[in-house]
Amino acid sequence: MHRRSEPPFRADHVGSLLRPQALLAARERFAAGSLDADGLREAEDTAIRDVVALQEEIGLQAATDGEFRRTSWHMDFIYQLGGISKTDEQIRVRMVNAEGEGAFTSAGLAIHDKVRLEHPIFAEHYKYLASVTTTAVPKLTIPSPSMVHYRGGTAAIDRTVYPDVEEFWTDLSAAYADEVRALADLGCRYLQLDDTSLAYLNDPAQRAEMTAKGEDADHAHLRYIRQINAAIAGRPDEMKITTHMCRGNFRSSWAAEGGYDFVAEALFGELDVDGFFCEFDDERSGGFAPLRFVPPGKQVVLGLVTTKRGELEDADTLKRRIDEASKYVPLDQLCLSPQCGFSSTVEGNSLTQDEQVAKLRLIVEVAQDVWG
C-alpha cells in the first residue's frame, strides 16, 4: 500500500466545513445592511485562509474553501447558469433525523431560456483558494448536472424553449463542459461533482415520488450518468474528477435511505470519474456489497466517519470496516473520508468546531495506519 500522489487521497473530505462564528456574524451584518460587500468578502477571505491552514496542519493532502462563500452547496451554483432563474415557488425536501422530521426549503427554479454558461462559476472562489494553499491540492466542489433536473424536474422546463427535452440535456452537459474547461484553464486539478440524486434513487420512496411527478424514475440514473459523462469528456488528463453521493445533509438530517444496490452496476461501471465518495456511516447507507461493481483503476472513498453528530468514531472500528470493504474492492483502491460535508448549508450540522477537527485528524491517522 502507498500514499497517493493524486486525487482522491487516502485521507480526504467531502468539502463543506462548519462556518466560524466570525463569518456567520459578518453574514448577519451584511444581511442587515451594516456591512458592505467588500467587508463580507474580507471576512470570507480571512476565514478561508485560516481553514486552509488548518486542513494543511491536520495533514490533509487536499484543501477546500469550506464552501464558506455559499449559502447552499448546490443552489448557489445552479442559479448562476444561464437560462435558469429563481421562482417564487418553494422547493421543499423532507428531511429526517433521530429526533423527528423537518425540511430543507429553497426558492424554486425554472428553465426559461437555453441553458448555457455565461461566465465561469466559482472562478474567483477557486482562484483565491489556490492562492492560499501551500502544501495541499486545492479542491473545488460543484453540484453535478443531475441536480438541475432532480431539483426542478421536467416540469421546470419551458417547453416553448425546449419542445424536445433532449436539447435541454445536450445544452446542460455543454454548459457544464464549458465550466470544466474554464476551471481547467484556471489550473484546477481536483474537481468534485456533488450528486445526491444518484444516492436518493436507491430509495423506493424517492423513486415513487419521482414517478408521481411523471418522471422515469427507474431509468433516471442512467440518464444522469450519460449527462455527467458528456459534461466531463473533454477534461484534461491532469484534472481528476470525483463524485460524492449522499442521501441528504441538512442540519444533521437526511432525506433518503438504502444501499447503493439499485444504481451500483451502472454507476460504478459506467460513470467516467476517477473516484466515488460514498457514505457508509450507518445502516441507512447499506452494506459494501455494491462495491463489487467497481472496476480496476477507480478509487472508492469510504465515508465511514459521520458528520451528523459529534461523537468520535473508534479507530479500530474504522479499520475493521475498511477491511470489510476490501472484500469487494482491493484495498489499494480504497480511501477514507467523512460521509458528507460538515455544513452543506450555511447553518451547519449539530457538532462543534473541535469535534469536526477531531474527526478530520482521526481520518488522517487511520489512513496513515492502513495505507502508510
Side-chain angles (χ1 to χ4, degrees), residues 244-247 258-261 264 267-268 276-292 294 300-306 309 313 317-318 321-322 324-325 328-329 334-340:
H244 166 248
M245 300 159 292
C246 81
R247 294 152 184 81
Y260 290 96
D261 305 79
L267 171 69
F268 297 126
F276 304 91
F277 280 75
C278 300
E279 66 173 354
F280 286 111
D281 60 324
D282 60 24
E283 62 278 357
R284 70 189 167 79
S285 304
F288 297 125
L291 298 181
R292 69 189 184 277
V294 176
V300 176
V301 188
L302 299 172
L304 302 179
V305 175
T306 192
R309 58 186 182 276
E313 286 78 1
T317 299
L318 294 179
R321 297 206 69 203
I322 292 168
E324 182 184 345
Y328 299 97
V329 62
L334 297 175
C335 305
L336 178 64
S337 79
Q339 47 83 216
C340 200

Side-chain angles (χ1 to χ4, degrees), residues 90-101:
Q90 288 285 302
I91 295 173
R92 184 184 187 278
V93 181
R94 174 181 172 270
M95 309 292 289
V96 297
N97 60 30
E99 282 70 51
E101 182 177 327

